[in-house]
């Protein structure tokens, strides 16, 4: 986790325009149809503008390795390596916060543990 955090900190900062962000994109804020398709994204309390890496952290909070690779590939050259490195850093922050501060919320703790497992699986 320290290595991933260090890599994120060393990645070039976002120098594009501030983009609309959900700001809190994780599985508890995503609703799926019974067959697994996206139905809705909810809880826009952290809506803002900034670095798209914030929302791309969902790649580690919601998807296993195989699906994550498809997710990343779907963006193609529109998302550069530096943005993915910052997104991993955001995933480190979010996953460890969920693990550390969700004693009263097993669902959030589960998302955090899943995220940590996914991040560590990429070592």
């Amino acid at each position: 986790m320290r290595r991933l955090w260090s890599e994120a900190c060393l990645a070039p900062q976002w120098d594009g325009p501030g983009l609309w962000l959900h700001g809190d994109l994780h599985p508890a804020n995503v609703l799926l149809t019974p067959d697994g398709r996206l139905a809705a994204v909810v809880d826009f309390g952290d809506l803002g503008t900034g670095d798209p890496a914030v929302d791309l952290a969902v790649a580690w909070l919601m998807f296993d390795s195989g699906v994550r690779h498809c997710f990343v590939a779907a963006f193609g050259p529109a998302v550069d390596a530096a943005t993915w490195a910052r997104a991993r850093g955001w995933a480190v922050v979010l996953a460890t916060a969920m693990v550390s501060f969700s004693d009263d919320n097993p669902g959030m703790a589960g998302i955090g543990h899943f995220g940590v497992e996914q991040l560590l699986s990429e070592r």
Side-chain angles (χ1 to χ4, degrees), residues 52-117:
V54 173
D55 283 351
L56 293 173
V58 75
W60 291 269
L61 301 174
M62 189 163 177
F63 305 130
D64 66 19
S65 179
V67 177
R68 184 171 49 260
H69 289 291
C70 292
F71 180 77
V72 171
F75 285 96
V79 178
D80 63 10
T83 302
W84 285 117
R86 291 190 312 276
R88 275 190 305 276
W90 276 105
V92 168
V93 169
L94 294 169
T96 56
M98 289 175 179
V99 168
S100 299
F101 301 108
S102 295
D103 291 341
D104 61 340
N105 189 332
M108 282 298 201
I111 294 168
H113 285 289
F114 178 82
V116 168
E117 290 171 12

Side-chain angles (χ1 to χ4, degrees), residues 3 6-8 31 33 35 38-39 42 49-50 57 71 77 91 94 114 121:
R3 178 184 57 81
S6 294
E7 289 171 2
L31 303 177
T33 63
D35 64 352
L38 180 65
V42 298
T49 61
F71 180 77
L94 294 169
F114 178 82
S121 73

